[in-house]
Amino acid sequence: MSPLDTTLWIQQITASVYWEGNYFGGVDKVQAMLEVTPNVTTTSPQLNLQCPQGYQFALFLVTQFIPKNLQVLTGGIVMVDMDAVLDVNIGGAAGVGYPSSIHYVEDQIPAMLKIEYTFAGLFKRSMGLLDDAVGLEILAEVESRNLVSTRRLFERRDMSGAVAVVTLEQREALLAMSDYEIYTNLEVLLGEQTPPRMSGMEHVAWMERALRALYPDYQ
């Protein structure tokens, strides 16, 4: 909604997005071309958030954010806080109105959010390999279970049921593998099958176990 008693033409958005006080991601100088009239709520175009990388953010996703917002697995509304700088034209479109910038802060904004990368993608982001953004499908199923050969990094667990300690070298070796090979190795490492995505919290809990097992040095 326009904070002024005139129409705004938003040209560009730079924003930081927070969820329950936690930095969730941002957009940097995204072209918007959005008309906002006074006293009318306007929906923004889809914006892809650039999220933090690394183990700590991945753990935050699977232990805090996703369990409280399971709807993001298929796409759903999440209430977020936003701090944005809007490059706008006031009173007319580009070339007609007056160019200006507005610092815009609002809490509890309903945002449609979908997490789109697989757990393998989440792991690769935790290692700093991927640059893609939230628009992601975090818990996709393993697609190619009929593949014949898989490179095995881990041995099956012994009778004590102890999980093997994963080294940095093994984590780096996983990065070169297909999603199918990553899932297969994780099933050997954890000694359990991957729960189906539609199991909801069961799958999210598996993600946490897998992530922690891959990063014993952070525990």
Side-chain angles (χ1 to χ4, degrees):
M1 183 180 295
S2 172
L4 305 177
D5 190 24
T6 185
T7 299
L8 296 179
W9 277 263
I10 298 176
Q11 309 294 316
Q12 185 170 267
I13 299 175
T14 299
S16 296
V17 175
Y18 300 84
W19 176 79
E20 295 191 353
N22 299 285
Y23 178 71
F24 194 79
V27 293
D28 185 26
K29 297 181 179 177
V30 173
Q31 301 301 313
M33 305 303 174
L34 178 65
E35 181 179 343
V36 183
T37 54
N39 303 314
V40 174
T41 300
T42 305
T43 302
S44 76
Q46 178 177 327
L47 302 173
N48 287 328
L49 294 182
Q50 297 299 319
C51 295
Q53 294 189 351
Y55 170 77
Q56 294 298 341
F57 184 73
L59 189 65
F60 159 75
L61 283 179
V62 299
T63 60
Q64 297 182 55
F65 181 75
I66 296 176
K68 289 187 177 180
N69 300 283
L70 286 175
Q71 69 274 21
V72 301
L73 302 182
T74 53
I77 298 294
V78 177
M79 305 304 290
V80 299
D81 305 329
M82 185 174 72
D83 186 325
V85 173
L86 310 175
D87 293 336
V88 303
N89 273 69
I90 301 172
V96 178
Y98 299 95
S100 184
S101 290
I102 295 177
H103 183 201
Y104 179 80
V105 178
E106 186 173 353
D107 294 338
Q108 294 298 287
I109 301 172
M112 171 64 73
L113 186 63
K114 184 179 181 183
I115 304 289
E116 288 182 345
Y117 39 63
T118 62
F119 176 80
L122 178 68
F123 163 63
K124 290 176 180 178
R125 283 186 60 84
S126 75
M127 293 287 284
L129 189 66
L130 300 183
D131 292 323
D132 55 348
V134 167
L136 359 130
E137 188 181 18
I138 257 185
L139 301 178
E141 297 278 359
V142 180
E143 293 179 358
S144 307
R145 291 200 176 269
N146 59 343
L147 294 181
V148 228
S149 64
T150 301
R151 290 166 285 176
R152 179 169 293 177
L153 285 178
F154 312 115
E155 297 300 322
R156 295 200 176 275
R157 295 201 283 180
D158 58 27
M159 295 301 290
S160 70
V163 178
V165 176
V166 178
T167 65
L168 175 60
E169 291 72 22
Q170 287 172 317
R171 285 203 299 266
E172 290 175 340
L174 279 176
L175 291 179
M177 294 186 178
S178 67
D179 285 11
Y180 172 77
E181 290 177 306
I182 290 174
Y183 277 100
T184 302
N185 273 283
L186 286 175
E187 290 178 350
V188 173
L189 176 66
L190 297 174
E192 59 180 295
Q193 293 290 309
T194 309
R197 176 186 179 191
M198 297 311 293
S199 63
M201 277 306 301
E202 183 184 356
H203 195 111
V204 175
W206 175 87
M207 289 179 69
E208 180 183 353
R209 291 194 297 275
L211 195 61
R212 290 186 184 279
L214 287 171
Y215 286 89
D217 40 330
Y218 282 79
Q219 309 311 313

